[in-house]
Structures are given as C-alpha cells and as structure tokens.
Amino acid sequence: MHSKPINLMSLTPEQLAKIQQKESTLPDALRRDALTNYREGYFFVTINTRGYAPILSYISGRADANDGAEDEPRCVYTELGKRVMAIWQTVPAYHPGVKIIAAEAMPDHFHGLLNLSNTCKQHLGRIVNGFMIGCTHEYWDMLGIDWRSMKKDINKSARAAAREWQDHDHTRSFRGPALFVRGYNDVEAITIEQVETKRRYIREQARRALIKGYMPDCFRIHRNCNSHGWTMDALRRAFLADRYLALDSRRIESTLLALLPRIQMLPGSITPAQSSNLSASAPNIKPVLSFIGMRTLLAAPCKLPLICHRSDTMLFDVQRDIVLQAARNGAVIVSAFISPKEREIKKQLLIEQLPVIEVVDNGFADRYKPTGKSFYACAENRLVQISPWTYAYSRDIKVTREMCLVMNQLVRIITNKDDHWWKK
C-alpha cells in the first residue's frame, strides 16, 4: 500500500515524462502544483458554497462542552447537507482506488479528506469535479429544476447559446445555479503522519465555529492601522542589521524599493510615480499594519522581543530560560518566530498558555483565522498576529532575508527594547 504522495524527484525520467504528458492534456483548472502527483496520495480538499451561502448545516452545542457530551459542538445537516455528505461516500463506487477518510459539511463550505491509491486512474481534479456535479444535481432536485429533461432536450446550438450568458465565475449553467463556487481550495498532498492532524482539524470545525461566533472581536481583522515609530525611516533601519547592506545606502534604497509592493501602505499615500523616488516622496508614504486579536495585548506595559542571533547560538539555553521566565512573570513576548530556535520557544509559550505577539510573514485574507493551538490562544486573548505585508496568495510563500529583517524591525518597534535585553 502506498501511504505517501510520490516524490517526483525519485521517479525515473521516463516516469516523469509520462506524468507531464498526462498533465498537459488537462484543462487549466486541473493543473495545480507541478511538483505534486495528483493521482496518488492523501489529499485535503475544501470547497465553498456559492456566495458562502450557509445552506449545508448549522452549528449546535456549546463551545465549552466536552467531546461525547450531549451538548458537544456538532454540525446539524440540512437536507441538502445530508445529500452532500452521502454523495461524498459514493465517490469510491465511481472511482475504484479512492478511499474516503473523513468529511464535514460546515454551513458554507465542505471539507473532505481522501486517499488515492496507485490503482486510481483519475486525476484528483476529475474526482472532485464529479463530486461537485453530483451535489449540484441534488441541489437542483431540491429547487425543483427538471435538469434531466433539459439535458436530453436541448441541442448543441442551444447549449452554445446558453453559454454566452453564463457569468464569468461559472456560478450558473443553462440549467440552473451551481451549488459550489468554481474550483476547490486548500488542496495539499499530505503524508500519512499528517492524516490524523487533518482528521482532528475536521472534528474541531464545529467547536471552532462556535468560538469564533461567540468572540467576533478576537477574530476581526484590523487593517490600515498606524503604529508609532513604524515609518519609512524605520524600514531603512531594518536593513542596517545586515552588515553588507549597512555599508551601502544605495543598496538599502534599492532593497526597500524592491520590497515596496509587498509592504502595506495607507491607501492613497503613494502613487506608482512616487514609488520610483522614495527619498523625495518619503513624507507622504505611510506604511501601516494589519492585525488579528485583541488590542489589549498590543497595549501591554511590558513587551519583550525574541530574536535569536547566530552569534548567540551557544547561549540559546540561557536566552530560552530567561525569555520563558519573563513570560511567566507577565511579559508579552514579541517575535517573528523565524529561526528554529525561536519556533522552539514559541511552542513552549503556547504549551504554557503564555501571551504572545507574532509578526507573520504574509498579510491576512478576508476570511483568515489562526490555525491549531494559535486559534485557541487567540480566542483566549493570549495571541495577537500582526503583519506589515499585503496579502499574497501562494501555496508556499517565499520569505526572503530582507523580509526577515523587516519583521524583526517591527518586533523592535512594538517592544521598544534592544534585542539583547536578556543578557543584561
């Protein structure tokens, strides 16, 4: 049994050529990650209803109820939701080699976890597309649309004419409205070790939805926020931490200019023409921030930076112990958690339920929320995530050294403390 997605680097040139040949015949919508074999492995799929309509289920229970209790959080399916869940279970009947692992129909989206064995001949996109079509047919049945007769009676020219008035996002066909939006989201090949994590994520969806509903302020994204000290000059000072950039002011300007499209700016504070001359337009350029979480952490009187430098590698145990003890004594730890050492400390901070402000390496999509332990830390007012970046969709966003310098500079601005406070 193949329990993991194929590593394409381990395949022979002939096998790679065969996969590429098959991929080249697919519609653009099915060509996703060129490094993933979408015909074998474990996959986690999320599909949103059209317009995020909450028509598949509603959430019942109490957020603080234990698993197995009568009032534990759960999704109560609508009739449509029941049909969607039932169709998901029929996928193996149409595609031998597919194993259904878990699923959940949330009010406005569907999560599915499945495994494609090496006997499965279909691309994941074809499988998901067939599932979506089946769900839409059930939706039409409930709406009273006689789509079967339309399919038989309408001729080729009539179908072509009908396509002319389809909207750009393909939310309708000539027979009726689509249940789901076009395509599917959050698809990723995962290892067998990660399957249980995804199972747990699906199981916790109802509880997380209740928590988010009870505490909307915790999960509201605050945008275009000004911060004292977060200026263009502060961004320039970020690059002084690099000894090579610090020697050449022109390189600092060119580096800042290259990063400018990713940095959040107050709407209207800079035009494309001004961006070519940062020095002349500096007074008008206003970098801003976005954050999610409660403002009380940002206003905490004692905030301390966590930045692990390579030169202090031998002193890491000392730094870790001092940082953790400061957090236990009430300090809020602020960090971008870039290095493995910093992430090790973050893990312990979350385990001990200590307060954290995290500078993140991407902006926030409109429907963003923290994941895993970070979600519950945010709900309990122990975590704020803050970002200087505009949101960019990427499966695996690249974080450059220059971005790390900017994030560490924001850590210093928030705390108003020196990196080496723990040595004093």
Side-chain angles (χ1 to χ4, degrees):
M1 174 180 175
H2 288 72
S3 58
K4 297 183 179 181
I6 286 179
N7 179 359
L8 296 189
M9 299 301 291
S10 66
L11 298 179
T12 66
E14 291 77 13
Q15 290 171 317
L16 285 171
K18 189 66 175 178
I19 289 175
Q20 290 169 358
Q21 181 183 6
K22 290 183 178 179
E23 296 296 322
S24 66
T25 64
L26 294 173
D28 289 341
L30 297 180
R31 298 176 195 163
R32 304 179 74 85
D33 184 354
L35 297 179
T36 300
N37 178 8
Y38 285 102
R39 288 181 168 83
E40 183 177 0
Y42 290 93
F43 296 93
F44 178 70
V45 179
T46 299
I47 313 172
N48 297 316
T49 59
R50 181 171 52 92
Y52 299 108
I55 54 179
L56 300 181
S57 66
Y58 65 89
I59 310 299
S60 178
R62 291 176 30 241
D64 59 348
N66 296 326
D67 291 339
E70 184 178 348
D71 54 354
E72 70 171 326
R74 63 189 180 278
C75 293
V76 179
Y77 305 131
T78 63
E79 180 59 33
L80 178 59
K82 292 177 182 177
R83 297 190 186 189
V84 167
M85 292 293 286
I87 291 173
W88 182 251
Q89 296 300 322
T90 67
V91 169
Y94 293 95
H95 303 286
V98 174
K99 179 182 179 182
I100 299 301
I101 299 175
E104 184 61 281
M106 298 296 289
D108 59 1
H109 63 276
F110 173 85
H111 290 303
L113 181 60
L114 73 169
N115 173 241
L116 279 60
S117 72
N118 62 341
T119 62
C120 183
K121 298 180 180 180
Q122 278 287 9
H123 185 283
L124 175 67
R126 297 290 189 192
I127 296 169
V128 174
N129 183 61
F131 165 72
M132 293 169 67
I133 290 173
C135 292
T136 292
H137 286 169
E138 292 290 339
Y139 182 44
W140 289 347
D141 285 342
M142 295 186 67
L143 294 177
I145 297 174
D146 188 11
W147 57 273
R148 294 173 180 84
S149 296
M150 293 181 191
K151 185 175 181 181
K152 294 177 181 178
D153 296 342
I154 195 165
N155 57 39
K156 185 175 181 180
S157 60
R159 286 198 296 269
R163 291 191 188 98
E164 294 180 0
W165 57 265
Q166 286 180 340
D167 60 280
H168 179 72
D169 292 327
H170 296 264
T171 58
R172 290 187 63 87
S173 74
F174 61 87
R175 291 186 291 272
L179 172 58
F180 296 114
V181 297
R182 187 186 186 193
Y184 49 96
N185 305 321
D186 297 338
V187 175
E188 53 191 290
I190 60 177
T191 66
I192 192 170
E193 291 80 9
Q194 295 171 318
V195 168
E196 185 54 39
T197 299
K198 291 301 182 184
R199 282 181 183 268
R200 185 166 57 251
Y201 176 83
I202 290 174
R203 288 197 301 267
E204 291 179 351
Q205 282 292 285
R207 188 182 303 276
R208 289 159 58 91
L210 286 175
I211 292 173
K212 190 176 179 181
Y214 292 154
M215 305 176 177
D217 288 343
C218 289
F219 299 99
R220 181 175 292 118
I221 299 172
H222 304 268
R223 301 190 185 278
N224 299 323
C225 301
N226 294 307
S227 176
H228 178 72
W230 189 241
T231 63
M232 293 299 291
D233 285 339
L235 288 170
R236 289 185 176 90
R237 290 196 299 274
F239 303 122
L240 296 178
D242 185 298
R243 58 182 178 178
Y244 298 107
L245 289 175
L247 297 174
D248 190 341
S249 60
R250 289 177 299 179
R251 286 187 63 188
I252 288 179
E253 291 302 310
S254 63
T255 300
L256 181 55
L257 185 61
L259 274 182
L260 205 60
R262 287 295 320 276
I263 297 173
Q264 286 188 77
M265 295 292 171
L266 191 67
S269 69
I270 184 172
T271 65
Q274 289 175 316
S275 65
S276 62
N277 189 350
L278 295 178
S279 299
S281 57
N284 300 320
I285 303 177
K286 297 179 181 178
V288 291
L289 304 166
S290 295
F291 73 91
I292 185 170
M294 299 296 285
R295 293 178 183 270
T296 49
L297 274 188
L298 292 170
C302 182
K303 297 184 287 289
L304 297 174
L306 169 59
I307 301 176
C308 294
H309 294 282
R310 291 180 183 176
S311 58
D312 295 325
T313 299
M314 301 301 293
L315 298 174
F316 170 69
D317 289 347
V318 175
Q319 182 180 13
R320 178 197 58 208
D321 293 345
I322 293 176
V323 168
L324 290 174
Q325 190 57 48
R328 292 167 187 145
N329 291 337
V332 177
I333 303 303
V334 184
S335 179
F337 300 109
I338 298 166
S339 72
K341 297 295 186 184
E342 292 165 359
R343 291 194 292 272
E344 180 181 330
I345 295 176
K346 176 190 175 183
K347 182 178 180 180
Q348 189 61 34
L349 289 167
L350 291 176
I351 289 174
E352 296 189 29
Q353 301 186 351
L354 299 170
V356 171
I357 297 174
E358 179 182 11
V359 178
V360 297
D361 56 18
N362 197 0
F364 305 112
D366 290 339
R367 293 170 63 85
Y368 172 83
K369 59 181 181 294
T371 59
K373 289 184 173 64
S374 294
F375 177 88
Y376 296 103
C378 189
E380 295 168 8
N381 196 21
R382 294 185 283 106
L383 173 70
V384 165
Q385 292 181 329
I386 189 167
S387 176
W389 311 112
T390 55
Y391 171 71
Y393 173 75
S394 175
R395 187 175 302 277
D396 187 19
I397 192 166
K398 182 179 180 181
V399 181
T400 64
R401 172 166 172 73
E402 291 76 18
M403 291 178 65
C404 294
L405 293 172
V406 169
M407 291 189 288
N408 281 338
Q409 180 66 7
L410 179 55
V411 169
R412 300 182 189 101
I413 295 293
I414 292 173
T415 60
N416 195 28
K417 291 286 193 303
D418 180 77
D419 300 4
H420 302 287
W421 62 271
W422 55 275
K423 294 181 181 180
K424 300 172 183 177

